[in-house]
Amino acid sequence: MDAPVRVTLAGAGNAFGDGGMLQTCVHVQAAGSDGALLVDCGATALPGLKRLGLQPGDVSVVAVSHLHGDHFGGLPFLILDGQFTRRVRPLHLVGPPGLEARLERAMEVLFPGSASVSRRFPVHVHEVAPGSSALVEDVEVRAYEADHAAGAAALALRVKVGGRTIAYSGDSAWTDTLIDVADGADLFLCEGYTFDRAVRHHLHVPELIARLDRLRCRRLLLTHAGPQVLARRAELDLELAEDGMVLEV
């Protein structure tokens, strides 16, 4: 059996900081590797990583589920941090079609002129449509169609790192595609946003609970929880993600 892969939640919350949590940023590192993967990179990713002693310069691949700020808005800061810390390691960004253009616009809005600056390290953007995959730096990212509106395709993801499979719903209402996303995964990071009242394009926890017997994953962890879900933390028979949580899968 391969050595465990370490998964660290540098951000486990939603866009609005409910529960005082940071936006989505999942740090994944295989044992013995000097590179790391991020699954999503919300606007709070840098402080989330740095407060845990995780070096942004070690991140070689970022897998992005969709182009909302709480999932990709940390990329301009990650890139500029690399520029000012003299990073040389290439950075690979894997995400939905439209990622490259949206990133350029975001960088120009936040830091005018930054999109065209020459840097010591290359930034490679790999756009993956639902049903396709990319293999970069020994990380395989497979894309599935999520039910979410983001001005571009929204993805659920399966990533393979160090012999382990981590599945991620991204933001999505329930869709049977999530059964395939989670199938056989060592860890399934699944949105659990609402409980009392469903919100369009987001996962309603009662709908998830009703289908748990169809999810064949080894461990399920709820992320992106809203106030209704956080208020039921003690009574839910589901594991909720927390900022700073460290898992070995």
Side-chain angles (χ1 to χ4, degrees), residues 44-241:
T44 58
L46 275 187
L49 293 168
K50 290 184 177 183
R51 71 173 50 172
L52 295 172
L54 300 170
Q55 299 303 315
D58 293 341
V59 174
S60 55
V61 180
V62 182
V64 175
S65 64
H66 65 285
L67 305 183
H68 278 155
D70 57 319
H71 293 265
F72 101 109
L75 291 178
F77 301 97
L78 179 66
I79 291 168
L80 290 175
D81 182 79
Q83 178 180 329
F84 294 123
T85 56
R86 298 181 176 272
R87 173 188 177 124
V88 294
R89 179 193 293 273
L91 178 62
H92 296 270
L93 310 178
V94 184
L99 171 59
E100 186 166 21
R102 185 83 66 88
L103 175 60
E104 181 176 347
R105 294 200 301 273
M107 294 192 70
E108 286 303 303
V109 166
L110 294 171
F111 302 98
S114 65
S116 58
V117 169
S118 177
R119 301 183 178 88
R120 295 176 181 83
F121 64 98
V123 177
H124 303 292
V125 178
H126 311 265
E127 297 187 347
V128 287
S132 64
S133 63
L135 179 62
V136 290
E137 299 284 342
D138 296 324
V139 175
E140 181 183 338
V141 181
R142 181 165 293 278
Y144 297 76
E145 185 175 6
D147 181 357
H148 192 66
L155 307 176
L157 302 171
R158 278 174 70 93
V159 296
K160 292 186 178 180
V161 182
R164 301 296 195 273
T165 297
I166 298 166
Y168 176 49
S169 69
D171 285 3
S172 179
W174 175 265
T175 164
D176 283 353
T177 299
L178 295 179
I179 297 169
D180 296 327
V181 174
D183 190 30
D186 297 286
L187 175 66
F188 180 31
L189 299 164
C190 185
E191 184 192 17
Y193 188 48
T194 58
F195 194 92
D196 299 318
R197 180 177 59 85
V199 172
R200 190 179 181 196
H201 300 309
H202 286 281
L203 217 154
H204 190 48
V205 171
E207 292 186 40
L208 173 66
I209 291 171
R211 296 164 173 83
L212 283 177
D213 61 347
R214 302 175 68 187
L215 297 177
R216 295 180 296 275
C217 53
R218 291 182 176 85
R219 184 173 183 178
L220 185 147
L221 188 64
L222 285 186
T223 66
H224 205 276
Q228 301 166 10
V229 176
L230 294 172
R232 288 166 175 76
R233 183 192 307 274
E235 65 194 63
L236 274 178
D237 192 23
L238 291 168
E239 190 176 11
L240 265 65

Side-chain angles (χ1 to χ4, degrees), residues 22-47:
L22 301 179
Q23 295 170 3
T24 305
C25 179
V26 182
H27 183 279
V28 182
Q29 190 161 29
S33 174
D34 64 351
L37 161 74
L38 296 184
V39 179
D40 273 349
C41 186
T44 58
L46 275 187

